Amino acid sequence: MVANALQPIVRMAATADRTKPIVVPDYCKGCGRCIDACEHHCIEPGRDIDPATGLVPVRIHLEHCTACGLCFDACPEPYGLRPAFFDAEGSERPRVARHDLAGTPTPEPIPDAVAALPPGQPLVIKGVYASAVGAILAGCRHFFGYPITPSTEGAELMARLLPHLDGQFVQAVSEVAAINMMYGAGAAGVRATTFTSSPGFSLMLEGLSYMVGATVPGVVVNVMRGGPGLGNIAPGQSDIKLACRGLGHGDTHAIVLAPSTPQEMLDLTMLAFDLSFKYRNPVIVLADGYVAQMTGRVTLPRTMVRPGVPAWAVAGDEAHRRNLITSIYLSETELEARNERLFAKYARITDAEPRADLFQCDDAELLIVACNTPARMAKGAVRTLRAQGVKAGLFRPLTLWPFPICALAPVLSRARRVVVVEASDGQLEDEMRLAISRADLATPSITSVNRYGGVLPSHDEIVSRVIGVARPHALGATA
Amino acid sequence: MSAFYERFDRHDGGEGVKGRSTHYCPGCGHGLAHKYLAEAVESLGVQNRTVAISPVGCAVFLYYYIDAGNVQAAHGRASAVALGQKLARPDSIVVSYQGDGDLASIGLAEILQAAQLGIPITVIFVNNAIYGMTGGQMAPTTLMGQRTATSPEGRGRLMGEPLRMAELIAQLDGPVYVERVALYDNKQRVKARRAITKGIRLQVENRGFAFVEVLSECPLHLGLTPADAERWIKEKMLPVFPLGVKKDVSASRDVWPAWKAPNMDPAAVHAVVGGATDRVPRFCTRFPRELWGPVDDDIALKLAGAGGDGAQTAAMIVARAAINEGFDATHIPSYGPESRGGTSYADVRIAEDEVLSPAAPRPNILLAFNAPSLAKFEPLVADGGIAIYDSTVVPDPPRPADAIHRVPVAATAIAQELGRVTVKNTVALGALAAATRLFPAETFLTAIRQALGDKPALLELNERAFRLGAASVCGR
């Protein structure tokens, strides 16, 4: 009997850190994989329903157990079968050091730093290049994109430049893949960007919705072209609705910045990164084919950004190990609460971030509203109209969402008429009308100067239409 | 020991039973794949560096269980998300955990790209021949004849043959290691555990992309007991999805080069983006408002020719010259297919302070390299404007209708004499400079030197071309 009594002890010693199993009934689903796994038939199907789960856990008889451990390897449940050094509740007795969640340090955010750039001459580069340079100066070293005219040269420049800065350029298999690579990089807390054009932007919308839902930052530069469908590759503005109202499924919003010049392509791309990380939300730089392809004077800023590491990032280190990036909120109340937090963020953005550029609006009786390249034509038209005695002004939203209604409201009260100039079927006008309506302002008399299909409204068109609106009698419109 | 959370707080708040048990059905293979993943991460000592990408499918809640960095991806995009994560933080150990609908159907493009890129990530592909999460529909790996919710009479020819992903991935150049394993008995489970550990170890060693396909039981949707589901895998799936190592070049493949931290040095950045600190000399005394023809605040040029004539480069040099002189200028090309061989034209606008409309529908200056360009755009030239054209290519153009100045320049002939026909645009620029007196010659030459910054060997040739072009129209 002495020998028998000693046997298990000898076995325990021989099997080093192995031990015999115990079943934790609440955590055993009774699948029986361990029954087949045990070569000594120590485990059998259970008979008693576990009150906590309604399932029938297995039963173990350890008389013949050799502590081979095969049952552990067969159990699909992490805590269903436990080595005997766990107590009956399944709690681990101190044995081997573990990286417990409780012991994980709370990450401290590493803030962004600003570094001075050498002073220099202006660059003479095209708009998409300026946007790429802006991204680099904002600390973006990760580009994921798919070639599409008229945005491609931006990707080409990133492909040329990023290797010199130990950055990463990936030509993705599609725009769908590109936006999801951005999601991955953004989740890791790095500044990533992509350049695309209208059809490609459509493909990115699912990913953008996930970014909004999971609060992942990233900058998408969409160079709008003529649509719908393939349309053409000439400049357009008909993604305003998509960017401002239809950013994928769900109640999504993202700041939408509308550059008019190559200089603004740089400035607003840099701003986009800051806003994107400030609010943990994607930001859209909504350009048109003209401003993207146009070469012009681009003065570099005095400083560039050295990005830090946000506390929320899944950065692949101990400090950030507890972080999770997800847009899943299974319970309705949780998702509703979470969406309310999103909406509160949108409200903060709506308060703090609207931007507009006003040209000769102070005494304007006739207000032209335009963005992107058409705003340049409109500005020229304002000059011409002023020379002809028409008190015209240009209101140019730099943020299409949030629409800068606070800046528009005071000038709107003076202006008798508004002329919206755009290369779409009233998408900018709709944003403005919605903003006016939401602000409970009286809707002014609105005239549209629209061109489509890759055609931008010209200076002369704007002038003649405005003259027609401002001085209908002068044109003999008396009938 | 493993990298499972001590308590599954994300599983419905971790209350009660859910704090220690998974959401999987009894006998589901996912739990085993999770377990081997969790144990491998722990045994390789990389728990802090690990980032698990949760897919859409039954494993959508992987992040409930694995105590590591967690990112949940859209359906099919886990491997794209994994790539982004890995490139962003190359020290992290990124595991893309995907099911058969996610990886082999909606995410085919993403997995093929990730595999072929070969960047060290680890993909665990759980193949259970069914869509579990959505309720038992046909998967790309569903067997022929297998009844599912969307193949109620059994998978037929119109639904396609099952996809063998391990074999597909193994034939790509990128991966270093591809193996298919199963879970139905002790022996297979030992192999599965080893394969998953190896797949992660190869990433830890920075060796490359690893893909482990796990044939996994879904007793619920197969309508089988867990034990019968194990048998079904062995008897039905194995003939279609043979187990084993499909590719292993991990011993012979060089490790990836060490990943460098992105360069954020301002001097390096400034140089890379083309920032120039040298002051560019100015030669203009004032904006060329009244040198020729009636011009308001703004001068419009159109440069047109066939693709390859160099109209865009010439336009860029004019814009650069104007900006060097402290004026504003824009250049907008016609872009797209026609700029790759057909007609190519460029609009340039120059203003003292700010160019407004960048288009040049009524140019003051036209530079036409061929007859179609001259015929198309000359009628648009503003009154008092100048049309310069390549008289080698267009020796005898019809008389213009409007009161414009015409300036022929034998650009192609002069360029040919110089031995390089591609400098005809520089010859034409010389003619433009001389004929229009837009800016001093030195302004243009400075811009040409800037444009040729990376090709100094061509500098002298271009300067000669410019001067010969200018000389050819002098005295007109």
Side-chain angles (χ1 to χ4, degrees):
Chain A
M1 288 301 107
V2 171
N4 274 351
L6 281 177
Q7 202 170 15
I9 299 170
V10 172
R11 280 188 180 278
M12 283 298 285
T15 52
D17 58 346
R18 282 183 183 168
T19 184
K20 296 184 178 185
I22 56 170
V23 178
V24 186
D26 283 1
Y27 308 142
C28 170
K29 289 175 177 165
C31 74
R33 277 183 184 264
C34 53
I35 297 172
D36 296 341
C38 180
E39 291 168 359
H40 301 277
H41 311 292
C42 300
I43 311 176
E44 62 174 11
R47 279 180 295 221
D48 302 327
I49 294 176
D50 182 80
T53 63
L55 299 170
V56 182
V58 297
R59 302 201 312 172
I60 293 190
H61 309 282
L62 293 176
E63 298 84 38
H64 303 292
C65 176
T66 60
C68 69
L70 288 171
C71 55
F72 296 127
D73 296 348
C75 178
E77 283 298 312
Y79 296 103
L81 277 180
R82 303 301 290 148
F85 52 77
F86 286 80
D87 63 28
E89 268 65 56
S91 295
E92 194 177 347
R93 292 176 191 140
R95 184 166 170 276
V96 175
R98 263 185 61 105
H99 304 288
D100 283 330
L101 201 58
T104 309
T106 307
E108 287 292 328
I110 301 172
D112 299 337
V114 170
L117 282 171
Q121 298 299 310
L123 304 177
V124 182
I125 51 175
K126 62 168 65 185
V128 272
Y129 285 176
S131 187
V133 169
I136 288 172
L137 296 179
C140 169
R141 297 289 181 274
H142 291 82
F143 184 96
F144 306 97
Y146 187 86
I148 182 166
T149 308
S151 74
T152 310
E153 292 93 330
E156 290 172 354
L157 188 69
M158 288 300 243
R160 280 211 302 279
L161 302 189
L162 282 178
H164 296 289
L165 295 169
D166 299 319
Q168 301 292 347
F169 174 94
V170 177
Q171 183 166 320
V173 69
S174 67
E175 284 91 350
V176 174
I179 193 72
N180 282 284
M181 290 175 191
M182 282 186 59
Y183 178 93
V190 313
R191 296 183 166 210
T193 192
T194 190
F195 290 174
T196 191
S197 180
S198 306
F201 189 62
S202 288
L203 282 176
M204 292 183 174
L205 293 177
E206 181 208 34
L208 279 163
S209 170
Y210 272 76
M211 289 173 79
V212 171
T215 61
V216 172
V219 172
V220 174
V221 181
N222 175 16
V223 177
M224 293 182 284
R225 67 188 223 188
L230 193 138
N232 62 25
I233 55 174
Q237 289 184 296
S238 44
D239 301 350
I240 291 176
K241 178 181 65 182
L242 215 51
C244 295
R245 299 287 146 201
L247 211 60
H249 56 284
D251 287 319
T252 56
H253 272 303
I255 296 173
V256 180
L257 300 166
S260 282
T261 62
Q263 181 71 55
E264 282 186 350
M265 288 290 279
L266 184 147
D267 297 342
L268 295 185
T269 303
M270 284 193 79
L271 175 66
F273 277 99
D274 286 342
L275 294 175
S276 181
F277 274 74
K278 179 178 179 182
Y279 292 106
R280 282 188 68 179
N281 202 68
V283 171
I284 314 298
V285 177
L286 199 62
D288 64 79
Y290 240 52
V291 68
Q293 289 293 328
M294 184 194 310
T295 294
R297 178 176 59 192
V298 175
T299 303
L300 294 180
R302 290 163 187 271
T303 57
M304 54 161 263
V305 177
R306 281 188 177 132
V309 182
W312 50 261
V314 177
D317 58 19
E318 186 176 10
H320 298 86
R321 199 178 92 204
R322 73 174 66 188
N323 286 341
L324 165 68
I325 297 291
T326 182
S327 55
I328 299 177
Y329 293 83
L330 278 193
S331 106
E332 297 87 335
T333 49
E334 272 182 33
L335 183 58
E336 187 172 46
R338 180 268 160 13
N339 282 354
E340 280 167 358
R341 289 198 299 278
L342 269 186
F343 305 153
K345 176 168 85 177
Y346 300 157
R348 287 200 306 280
I349 292 173
T350 305
D351 281 347
E353 305 301 344
R355 288 167 166 81
D357 178 45
L358 280 67
F359 177 68
Q360 302 204 338
C361 287
D362 285 349
D363 61 343
E365 292 169 357
L366 191 144
L367 207 57
I368 301 179
V369 176
C371 65
N372 298 128
T373 302
R376 299 179 73 137
M377 285 66 155
K379 190 171 183 181
V382 167
R383 285 188 179 168
T384 305
L385 289 162
R386 287 265 169 180
Q388 295 180 16
V390 178
K391 283 190 174 176
L394 170 65
F395 182 84
R396 180 166 73 94
L398 288 171
T399 50
L400 304 186
W401 191 92
F403 193 90
I405 190 66
C406 289
L408 180 65
V411 290
L412 207 54
S413 62
R414 271 188 304 274
R416 289 177 297 137
R417 288 175 177 278
V418 171
V419 175
V420 183
V421 176
E422 59 182 313
S424 83
D425 187 25
Q427 297 190 9
L428 176 62
E429 182 182 326
D430 285 351
E431 285 307 305
M432 184 188 72
R433 281 181 180 271
L434 191 56
I436 288 172
S437 165
R438 288 233 167 113
D440 287 329
L441 300 174
T443 306
S445 162
I446 298 173
T447 303
S448 308
V449 180
N450 299 356
R451 292 300 300 267
Y452 324 97
V455 184
L456 300 182
S458 72
H459 167 274
D460 292 354
E461 264 173 295
I462 302 167
V463 169
S464 67
R465 287 294 299 279
V466 170
I467 294 280
V469 169
R471 297 174 181 161
H473 300 290
L475 294 181
T478 50
Chain B
M1 292 303 99
S2 76
F4 281 122
Y5 286 118
E6 186 71 29
R7 197 174 75 143
F8 304 142
D9 288 334
R10 292 178 181 134
H11 189 188
D12 215 6
E15 296 300 322
V17 171
K18 288 181 175 176
R20 281 285 170 94
S21 57
T22 68
H23 68 288
Y24 295 112
C25 312
C28 174
H30 272 300
L32 288 172
H34 284 20
K35 182 176 260 185
Y36 304 154
L37 166 63
E39 288 173 357
V41 163
E42 169 73 19
S43 68
L44 291 165
V46 292
Q47 186 177 7
N48 284 329
R49 293 164 61 194
T50 297
V51 175
I53 313 295
S54 304
V56 169
C58 281
V60 64
F61 303 124
L62 179 68
Y63 62 85
Y64 285 179
Y65 314 115
I66 303 293
D67 182 359
N70 278 292
V71 178
Q72 202 285 321
H75 192 35
R77 320 300 172 210
S79 38
V81 173
L83 263 185
Q85 175 81 34
K86 182 71 181 181
L87 290 171
R89 307 282 179 201
D91 287 339
S92 54
I93 302 302
V94 182
V95 180
S96 182
Y97 187 109
Q98 302 181 254
D100 41 39
D102 194 79
L103 181 139
S105 185
I106 194 170
L108 264 179
E110 285 79 5
I111 187 60
L112 288 181
Q113 178 173 34
Q116 185 66 326
L117 272 178
I119 288 168
I121 61 171
T122 308
V123 176
I124 297 174
F125 168 48
V126 175
N127 174 4
N128 57 12
I130 200 92
Y131 277 64
M133 187 203 214
T134 46
Q137 296 80 19
M138 184 179 70
T141 50
T142 292
L143 303 180
M144 296 308 288
Q146 184 183 337
R147 290 172 191 269
T148 70
T150 49
S151 58
E153 304 299 322
R155 185 173 189 165
R157 283 183 67 187
L158 260 178
M159 303 163 192
E161 299 273 343
L163 265 177
R164 281 183 277 270
M165 288 310 297
E167 285 80 357
L168 190 61
I169 298 295
Q171 64 170 308
L172 301 175
D173 303 308
V176 290
Y177 171 61
V178 180
E179 182 168 357
R180 180 183 291 121
V181 295
L183 305 169
Y184 57 76
D185 65 20
N186 285 335
K187 192 175 152 194
Q188 303 311 323
R189 288 190 284 264
V190 168
K191 286 185 175 174
R193 173 200 294 276
R194 277 198 203 131
I196 287 173
T197 306
K198 179 171 179 174
I200 296 169
R201 180 170 54 77
L202 292 174
Q203 185 180 172
V204 176
E205 292 171 359
N206 203 26
R207 207 162 286 275
F209 179 94
F211 183 94
V212 180
E213 176 172 343
V214 183
L215 301 186
S216 171
E217 294 80 6
C218 179
L220 181 78
H221 291 304
L222 291 173
L224 300 172
T225 65
D228 287 343
E230 287 182 334
R231 263 190 295 283
W232 188 85
I233 299 270
K234 186 176 175 183
E235 290 166 11
K236 305 285 190 197
M237 279 191 89
L238 248 53
V240 180
F241 300 103
L243 302 179
V245 175
K246 307 295 174 183
K247 178 179 185 182
D248 188 356
V249 295
S250 59
S252 56
R253 182 75 66 86
D254 288 341
V255 298
W256 278 72
W259 301 90
K260 293 182 184 169
N263 187 340
M264 298 287 170
D265 173 55
V269 169
H270 193 252
V272 161
V273 303
T277 49
D278 297 342
R279 193 156 179 80
V280 181
R282 290 185 179 174
F283 306 93
C284 265
T285 50
R286 61 191 179 121
F287 189 71
R289 185 170 283 110
E290 292 131 16
L291 286 177
W292 56 274
V295 174
D296 300 329
D297 293 335
D298 186 315
I299 301 167
L301 298 90
K302 196 177 278 289
L303 299 89
D309 278 342
Q312 302 299 340
T313 309
M316 182 72 83
I317 286 169
V318 173
R320 188 185 278 264
I323 289 169
N324 283 346
E325 292 294 348
F327 308 127
D328 191 23
T330 59
H331 157 216
I332 177 101
S334 60
Y335 53 82
E338 74 272 26
S339 66
R340 312 280 193 267
T343 304
S344 168
Y345 65 90
D347 288 353
V348 175
R349 297 291 288 257
I350 303 170
E352 191 159 10
D353 344 295
E354 183 186 9
V355 171
L356 295 169
S357 299
R362 298 279 291 156
N364 305 105
I365 300 169
L366 170 68
L367 176 54
F369 286 94
N370 60 16
S373 300
L374 187 63
K376 183 173 178 185
F377 296 120
E378 195 180 53
L380 305 179
V381 173
D383 285 349
I386 296 182
I388 301 149
Y389 64 96
D390 187 341
S391 57
T392 316
V393 179
V394 197
D396 189 19
R399 285 179 61 83
D402 300 319
I404 62 161
H405 308 292
R406 250 194 190 164
V407 180
V409 53
T412 301
I414 292 170
Q416 279 166 340
E417 279 169 33
L418 287 168
R420 196 185 274 256
V421 72
T422 51
V423 296
K424 67 179 171 185
N425 60 344
T426 314
V427 176
L429 268 184
L432 186 151
T436 64
R437 289 172 290 144
L438 185 63
F439 305 123
E442 271 307 315
T443 302
F444 284 98
L445 288 168
T446 302
I448 289 169
R449 284 182 207 116
Q450 285 174 310
L452 289 171
D454 53 347
K455 296 176 215 149
L458 295 175
L459 203 56
E460 195 194 333
L461 175 69
N462 274 276
E463 287 189 7
R464 281 179 63 203
F466 182 87
R467 293 191 198 284
L468 287 172
S472 78
V473 300
C474 268
R476 279 176 193 278

